[in-house]
Amino acid sequence: MANIKSAIKRVEVNQKKRTNNVSQLSAMRTEIKRVEQLVEANDTDNAKAAYQTASKHIDKAAQKGIIHKNAANRQKARLAKKVNA
């Protein structure tokens, strides 16, 4: 464990940020899985609505630096392709 006061604070801040990032990443993945399940069930109306919320979660994650912006765009494109197919 760190001895210096600033290093102790960095450890605490990093843990809080990591906890927040993990929860947002988990929420994003849950939304993506929800869209994929609705697509498999051929529920197009609900799948399109779920895609909108998943897209918001993906954009938020990219905006906050949790995932890379290109990865976010790739995930959204793949989901849109599944929904439209």
Side-chain angles (χ1 to χ4, degrees):
M1 185 66 187
N3 292 331
I4 300 169
K5 189 175 182 181
S6 61
I8 292 170
K9 182 177 178 182
R10 290 306 320 155
V11 169
E12 290 173 359
V13 168
N14 287 338
Q15 281 188 324
K16 285 180 186 175
K17 285 187 175 184
R18 182 182 181 280
T19 307
N20 193 25
N21 289 346
V22 167
S23 68
Q24 286 192 339
L25 191 64
S26 175
M28 182 193 77
R29 288 178 178 154
T30 303
E31 291 297 325
I32 291 171
K33 288 176 187 172
R34 197 167 141 241
V35 172
E36 290 173 344
Q37 287 173 350
L38 289 169
V39 167
E40 297 242 345
N42 292 326
D43 191 356
T44 54
D45 294 334
N46 290 334
K48 287 181 181 180
Y51 171 74
Q52 293 294 324
T53 59
S55 179
K56 285 181 185 177
H57 276 83
I58 293 170
D59 285 337
K60 286 266 183 168
Q63 188 177 28
K64 294 185 179 187
I66 297 171
I67 60 172
H68 195 271
K69 65 175 187 171
N70 290 351
N73 288 334
R74 183 176 63 244
Q75 285 182 334
K76 288 195 311 184
R78 288 178 180 169
L79 279 180
K81 191 174 180 182
K82 288 180 183 178
V83 170
N84 291 332

